[in-house]
């Protein structure tokens, strides 16, 4: 039995740019526009009204964050939303969560909606774990009796029993995230909207979250809309995918097809040295990613026998807290073959990623990976926070195994193992072997 | 919502139940324009959240202070002392039969709720932007909760005032029974300022800097530290448009009785202005709230 539970009709969301340079700029900075601008605009509007003229449309430059997005989701479906930064994924989730209002179109949703755009929304550092469970639960839309009933489960899932009555500001970041996810995981809405929140926490915890999501998706007939840059997770969890590109739907269908389309789409032509547009209003962004050979020349085509040098430039402008960054490599199947961050060489390094321009250089040793194409993604985020910048698949390189041109090495690793071989004539095997 | 329990078996049972009886509630999201009605039903279903928000603000308020909730007692006493010293002694206003400290405290009771409540409420949305951009719930609760916190202070000050009256051997008049409706009016006045300013501050951060001045100006316009009769009678109807003008005077009449006559026309004007302001504030908030997340 299928029943449409989310029906999106030609959703659009526009923001005004242009005329209101200042306004747009300050919106990005999160400081809103000033009263003076608004007053002068108000006066201008009165003037236009009195003189009977309308605002010339050319004055207004409109940016469509979402345009003409239509899709339907049936009860029990798990839909993955993919797309590059700025493709409109988060805007779409915010429209569906009723946080921002669409500029056009209509969405009909049947049933209780809960959205999880951030882990731990509304957590108060001074309150204890127990108090925050209630507060956060209420903010996410749970009733008190529901929280009462689930308290034990939530506490067990978060593994913080001993610290239940400690203020969460004394929690380690892992405990904090575990508790926050535990509350969210025990919401029982008909429709669950999840942004990339599983990207936090350590590996074991991510695995646990994925398991929980899997349970929720599989067992309870619940509808889930899920944004992630983790293609592996998407492929596992979702049955359908939607690919957004510059605010419109570019592909929709079985998740495997959508992931494939996404992985192949829109790679920069010169992906050996990718530079990102500078957006001064962002508190933190990557400026460039470079791939170089040993001699310093850029390239996207490497031999398995040479090291690959990667160079990331990260500019941190306006962040007080510690910024974390990491990079990962994915193969064409979407499997993450390597993930690394600066803490590999210095556990305290993040304390130094503060305001300034940081250049990170790493070298992938030769003979590490099997010949294939690899996608490079970089990401930076703030402690407990969501992503500040995420360049998924910003460049791609190819590894060729030149040592064996006939039989391409399969598998994930390209390590050449030292084979030891001993040959003896038949009948003269060592005694231990004959036994 | 079908009821669910924690057991696995009953979970699957409830899932079946859920599929058999698909929820009829349909949410339609579309662009709206103009004035938007208040969704009272939604406010009612989320009522627990309001209580949680109030409870959060109360329990966080004196965390990590040495004196803790004693501050709720110390603050009004200090205010009373300061005003008694500077205005009672130095300026010497004709303040009726009661000692100046008794006189001024009666006005400070509603004034503290109003001034602290609306100032806090005005900043509530910008101080909790992350709530606006990350989760949906009735936004009206944010400024309302911030203001309601100060009701607790008001009850503390009433207790302290009882002590002050006892020390000064000044028995309250029987008309104190009119305090509850006056307190409700004060809360509505606080909310009308708080809610409007909270919405405005999201769009114009100028109000963040303006609010402290507004508090100062309103205090001098509100007959809190001086009796209304100091001002020529003909200005009273205009001044009473400021809710606190009529209300502060009424608190004194209610508590102190003889020597502080009721000014019913002022109270009527202030009450009407309070109610009109409150209704306006809610509708103004509803009108603007759909853009909050875009500007926050």
């Amino acid at each position: 039995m299928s029943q449409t539970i989310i029906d999106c009709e030609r959703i659009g969301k526009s923001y005004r740019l242009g005329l209101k340079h200042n306004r747009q700029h300050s919106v990005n900075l999160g400081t809103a526009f000033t009263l003076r601008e608004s007053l002068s605009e108000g006066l201008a509007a009165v003037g236009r009204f009195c003189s009977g003229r309308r605002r010339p449309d050319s004055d207004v430059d409109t940016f469509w964050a979402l345009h003409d997005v239509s899709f339907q989701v049936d009860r029990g479906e798990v839909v993955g939303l993919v797309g590059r930064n700025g493709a409109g994924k988060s805007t779409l989730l915010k429209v569906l969560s009723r946080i921002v209002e669409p500029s056009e179109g209509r969405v009909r949703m049947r049933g209780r909606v809960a959205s999880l755009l951030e882990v731990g929304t509304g957590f108060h550092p001074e309150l204890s774990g127990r108090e925050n469970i209630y507060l956060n639960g209420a903010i996410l839309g749970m009733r008190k009796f529901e929280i009462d009933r689930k308290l034990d489960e939530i506490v067990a899932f978060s593994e913080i029993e001993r610290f239940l009555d400690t203020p969460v500001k004394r929690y380690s970041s892992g405990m904090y995230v575990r508790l926050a996810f535990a509350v969210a995981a025990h919401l029982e809405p008909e429709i669950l909207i999840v942004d990339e929140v599983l990207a936090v926490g350590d590996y074991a915890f991510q695995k646990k979250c994925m398991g929980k999501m899997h349970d929720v998706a599989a067992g309870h007939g619940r509808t889930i809309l899920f944004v992630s840059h983790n293609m592996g997770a998407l492929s596992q969890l979702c049955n359908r995918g939607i690919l957004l590109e510059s605010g419109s739907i570019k592909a929709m269908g079985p998740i495997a097809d959508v992931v494939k389309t996404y992985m192949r789409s829109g790679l920069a032509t010169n992906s050996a040295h990718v530079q990102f547009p500078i957006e001064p209003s962002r508190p933190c962004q990557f400026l460039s990613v470079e791939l170089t050979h040993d001699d310093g020349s850029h390239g996207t085509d490497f031999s398995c026998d040479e090291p690959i040098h990667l160079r990331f430039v990260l500019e941190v402008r306006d962040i007080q807290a510690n910024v974390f960054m990491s990079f990962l490599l994915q193969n064409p199947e979407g499997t993450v073959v390597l993930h690394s961050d600066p803490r590999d060489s210095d556990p305290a390094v993040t304390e130094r990623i503060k305001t300034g321009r940081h250049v990170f250089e790493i070298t992938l040793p030769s003979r590490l990976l099997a010949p294939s194409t690899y996608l490079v993604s970089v990401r930076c985020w703030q402690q407990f926070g969501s992503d500040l910048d995420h360049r998924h698949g910003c460049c791609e390189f190819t590894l060729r195994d030149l040592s064996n041109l006939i039989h391409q090495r399969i598998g994930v690793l390209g390590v050449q193992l030292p084979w030891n071989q001993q040959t003896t004539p038949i009948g003269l095997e060592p005694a231990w072997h004959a036994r | 919502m079908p009821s669910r329990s924690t057991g696995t078996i009953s979970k699957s049972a409830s899932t079946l139940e859920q599929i058999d009886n698909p929820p009829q509630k349909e949410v339609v999201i579309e662009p709206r324009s103009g004035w938007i009605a208040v969704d009272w039903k939604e406010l009612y279903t989320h009522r627990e959240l309001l209580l949680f928000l109030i409870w959060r603000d109360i329990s966080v308020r004196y965390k990590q202070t040495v004196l803790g909730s004693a501050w709720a007692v110390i603050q009004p006493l200090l205010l009373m002392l300061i005003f008694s010293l500077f205005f009672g002694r130095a300026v010497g206003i004709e303040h009726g039969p009661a000692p100046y400290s008794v006189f001024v405290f009666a006005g400070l009771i509603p004034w503290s709720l109003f001034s602290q409540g609306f100032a806090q409420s005005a900043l509530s949305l910008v101080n909790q932007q992350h709530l606006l951009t990350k989760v949906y719930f009735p936004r009206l609760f944010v400024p309302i909760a911030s203001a309601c916190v100060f009701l607790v202070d008001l009850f503390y000050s009433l207790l302290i005032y009882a002590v002050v009256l006892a020390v000064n051997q000044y028995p309250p008049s029987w008309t104190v029974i009119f305090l509850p409706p006056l307190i409700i009016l004060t809360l509505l006045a606080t909310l009308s300022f708080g809610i409007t300013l909270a919405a405005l501050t999201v769009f114009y951060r100028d109000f963040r800097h303006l609010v402290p001045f507004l508090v100062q100006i309103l205090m001098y316009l509100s007959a809190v530290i001086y009796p209304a009769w100091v001002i020529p009678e003909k200005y009273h109807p205009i001044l009473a448009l400021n809710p606190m003008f009529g209300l502060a005077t009424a608190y004194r009449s209610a508590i102190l009785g003889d020597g502080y006559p009721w000014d019913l026309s002022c109270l009527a004007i202030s009450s009407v202005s309070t109610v009109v302001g409150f209704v306006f504030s809610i509708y103004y908030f509803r009108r603007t709230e759909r853009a909050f997340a875009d500007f926050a």
Side-chain angles (χ1 to χ4, degrees):
Chain A
M1 170 180 130
S2 77
Q3 184 203 3
T4 307
I5 195 163
I6 304 176
D7 186 1
C8 245
E9 279 172 58
R10 305 179 64 89
I11 283 294
K13 174 74 190 170
S14 65
Y15 291 95
R16 284 193 291 170
L17 320 166
L19 176 71
K20 303 196 178 65
H21 278 302
N22 297 331
R23 178 181 292 197
Q24 172 61 20
H25 188 62
S26 24
V27 167
N28 284 341
L29 287 172
T31 52
F33 46 92
T34 66
L35 191 56
R36 192 189 53 191
E37 282 159 14
S38 201
L39 288 177
S40 62
E41 194 202 315
L43 285 177
V46 170
R48 274 197 302 276
F49 179 77
C50 294
S51 59
R53 276 186 293 129
R54 284 207 43 175
R55 178 204 293 283
D57 280 347
S58 59
D59 277 8
V60 187
D61 185 7
T62 309
F63 166 72
W64 288 91
L66 281 179
H67 193 57
D68 206 7
V69 172
S70 306
F71 62 91
Q72 293 184 329
V73 179
D74 288 343
R75 179 178 299 282
E77 270 194 300
V78 182
V79 179
L81 269 179
V82 291
R84 265 156 229 298
N85 276 354
K89 304 181 299 286
S90 295
T91 311
L92 180 57
L93 291 195
K94 282 187 177 178
V95 168
L96 294 176
S97 321
R98 295 206 278 167
I99 292 165
V100 299
E101 197 171 80
S103 312
E104 55 173 42
R106 174 184 298 172
V107 188
R108 289 167 190 280
M109 297 210 270
R110 296 184 185 86
R112 194 166 86 148
V113 183
S115 52
L116 190 54
L117 303 191
E118 181 188 64
V119 160
T121 304
F123 261 39
H124 198 292
E126 299 282 355
L127 296 177
S128 73
R130 184 195 305 273
E131 290 166 330
N132 269 307
I133 291 176
Y134 278 93
L135 181 63
N136 188 230
I139 288 173
L140 292 172
M142 279 160 111
R143 298 287 304 277
K144 184 170 178 296
F145 71 87
E146 288 178 80
I147 310 173
D148 284 337
R149 211 174 47 203
K150 299 210 165 153
L151 187 65
D152 293 339
E153 250 185 286
I154 293 174
V155 173
F157 187 87
S158 63
E159 303 163 16
I160 55 134
E161 293 90 342
R162 283 182 54 211
F163 309 100
L164 197 53
D165 294 305
T166 310
V168 297
K169 66 176 175 184
R170 310 225 186 283
Y171 279 25
S172 74
S173 56
M175 286 158 67
Y176 184 96
V177 171
R178 280 207 303 275
L179 179 64
F181 185 82
V183 179
H186 289 83
L187 279 171
E188 292 199 337
E190 278 94 26
I191 303 170
L192 182 62
I193 294 174
V194 187
D195 204 346
E196 181 118 67
V197 288
L198 303 181
V200 290
D202 58 16
Y203 179 71
F205 178 70
Q206 285 195 18
K207 223 173 132 184
K208 190 168 171 180
C209 294
M210 289 299 295
K212 182 74 190 174
M213 291 278 291
H214 217 276
D215 290 352
V216 170
H220 308 175
R222 208 157 298 150
T223 310
I224 303 182
L225 227 70
F226 182 39
V227 161
S228 181
H229 287 285
N230 181 344
M231 296 300 133
L234 281 169
S235 312
Q236 270 179 34
L237 274 179
C238 306
N239 34 41
R240 208 150 67 92
I242 295 175
L243 170 59
L244 283 177
E245 200 174 278
S246 1
S248 310
I249 293 184
K250 198 185 172 214
M252 185 156 47
I255 188 72
D257 298 350
V258 170
V259 166
K260 215 174 275 173
T261 317
Y262 172 59
M263 298 287 283
R264 287 187 190 147
S265 70
L267 280 171
T269 42
N270 175 15
S271 66
H273 184 188
V274 187
Q275 283 169 304
F276 306 111
I278 294 176
E279 298 163 63
S281 58
R282 292 178 78 140
C284 174
Q285 75 161 123
F286 286 101
L287 296 181
S288 65
V289 175
E290 285 173 76
L291 296 173
T292 50
H293 293 281
D294 244 352
D295 60 4
S297 61
H298 288 132
T300 56
D301 218 333
F302 294 88
S303 151
C304 287
D305 294 298
E306 63 172 330
I308 302 168
H309 303 280
L310 290 117
R311 192 177 152 91
F312 314 105
V313 184
L314 174 70
E315 191 165 283
V316 181
R317 301 188 182 103
D318 183 25
I319 291 287
Q320 304 306 320
N322 298 342
V323 175
F324 293 76
M325 75 83 73
S326 72
F327 113 101
L328 62 82
L329 283 185
Q330 275 170 296
N331 65 15
E333 287 83 49
T335 310
V336 176
V337 293
L338 182 63
H339 174 270
S340 176
D341 68 43
R343 284 175 290 186
D344 280 1
S345 18
D346 176 3
V349 74
T350 47
E351 281 154 31
R352 293 201 301 273
I353 311 187
K354 296 228 164 113
T355 314
R357 185 174 287 195
H358 309 277
V359 179
F360 296 96
E361 283 176 326
I362 47 173
T363 302
L364 296 177
S366 58
R367 279 286 156 199
L368 175 68
L369 298 170
S372 179
T373 43
Y374 293 94
L375 273 183
V376 179
S377 303
V378 283
R379 182 164 88 86
C380 66
W381 70 97
Q382 199 176 349
Q383 200 162 17
F384 311 137
S386 45
D387 284 1
L388 296 166
D389 197 3
H390 189 148
R391 301 288 174 181
H392 179 81
C394 55
C395 44
E396 187 184 51
F397 64 87
T398 309
L399 270 185
R400 292 175 205 284
D401 193 348
L402 303 174
S403 65
N404 189 340
L405 291 172
I406 299 153
H407 298 291
Q408 279 294 316
R409 183 182 287 266
I410 60 164
V412 177
L413 298 179
V415 182
Q416 287 174 320
L417 301 177
W419 286 65
N420 195 357
Q421 183 177 4
Q422 283 177 347
T423 313
T424 45
I426 294 170
L428 290 177
E429 297 96 341
W432 61 267
H433 197 230
R435 218 167 351 126
Chain B
M1 237 358 240
S3 66
R4 296 193 183 88
S5 65
T6 47
T8 332
I9 298 162
S10 47
K11 237 179 209 166
S12 55
S14 71
T15 310
L16 281 177
E17 184 189 336
Q18 194 183 320
I19 290 169
D20 288 344
N21 311 306
Q24 296 304 309
K25 193 189 161 209
E26 190 185 73
V27 180
V28 177
I29 306 167
E30 57 189 341
R32 295 169 297 177
S33 60
W35 300 94
I36 296 160
V38 181
D39 192 344
W40 297 107
K41 209 176 134 198
E42 186 184 47
L43 293 185
Y44 181 74
T45 52
H46 284 79
R47 63 195 181 279
E48 285 179 355
L49 177 58
L50 177 63
L51 296 179
F52 272 121
L53 289 175
I54 297 175
W55 160 81
R56 173 197 67 180
D57 289 345
I58 292 172
S59 55
V60 162
R61 207 153 147 223
Y62 299 113
K63 282 268 163 82
Q64 239 180 40
T65 56
V66 177
L67 297 179
S69 47
W71 278 110
V73 176
I74 297 167
Q75 277 168 339
L77 278 178
L78 276 178
L79 267 185
M80 181 191 78
L81 275 178
I82 292 166
F83 285 122
S84 306
L85 278 175
F86 287 92
F87 292 91
R89 290 273 162 79
V91 185
I93 304 166
E94 165 45 74
H95 51 75
Y100 185 78
S101 56
V102 172
F103 163 86
V104 80
F105 204 122
L108 283 175
I109 292 171
W111 177 252
S112 301
L113 169 64
F114 178 76
S115 61
Q116 299 189 69
F118 98 76
Q120 200 63 42
S121 187
L123 294 177
S124 59
L125 287 176
V126 281
N127 286 347
Q128 295 173 65
Q129 282 171 27
H130 56 282
L131 284 184
L132 299 184
T133 55
K134 294 294 181 193
V135 68
Y136 174 80
F137 62 92
R139 272 75 168 93
L140 258 177
F141 285 169
V142 175
I144 292 180
S146 297
C148 286
V149 171
F150 293 94
L151 276 178
V152 177
D153 292 34
L154 182 130
F155 292 118
Y156 269 114
S157 359
L158 282 176
L159 291 179
I160 301 159
Y161 194 41
V163 176
V164 171
L165 285 176
V167 169
N168 284 284
Q169 296 180 328
Y170 201 99
S173 153
W174 65 271
T175 44
V176 284
I177 56 164
F178 293 119
L179 272 187
L182 287 178
I183 290 173
I184 291 172
L185 277 174
T186 316
L187 182 63
L188 289 185
T190 310
L191 290 176
S192 62
F193 275 73
I195 292 172
T196 310
L197 286 167
L200 280 169
T201 314
V202 173
F203 301 105
Y204 312 106
R205 301 295 150 100
D206 308 62
F207 283 94
R208 183 175 239 169
H209 309 286
L210 213 66
V211 164
F213 294 107
L214 202 57
V215 172
Q216 287 286 314
I217 294 164
L218 280 173
M219 189 176 86
Y220 292 115
L221 289 176
S222 293
V224 174
I225 53 173
Y226 58 86
W229 62 66
V230 177
I231 297 172
E233 195 116 352
K234 59 177 175 180
Y235 297 122
H236 284 197
I238 299 167
L239 284 171
L241 288 176
N242 160 21
M244 292 314 290
F245 186 82
L247 285 173
T249 311
Y251 271 76
R252 282 192 292 264
S253 310
I255 300 171
L256 303 176
D258 291 342
Y260 299 91
W262 289 82
D263 185 343
L264 288 178
S265 61
C266 263
L267 181 59
I269 295 173
S270 287
S271 307
V272 171
S273 133
T274 298
V275 172
V276 171
F278 180 66
V279 172
F280 168 81
S281 71
I282 286 187
Y283 280 90
Y284 178 73
F285 192 92
R286 287 289 290 170
R287 189 189 159 95
T288 50
E289 78 176 328
R290 61 210 145 93
F292 284 172
D294 291 332
F295 284 95

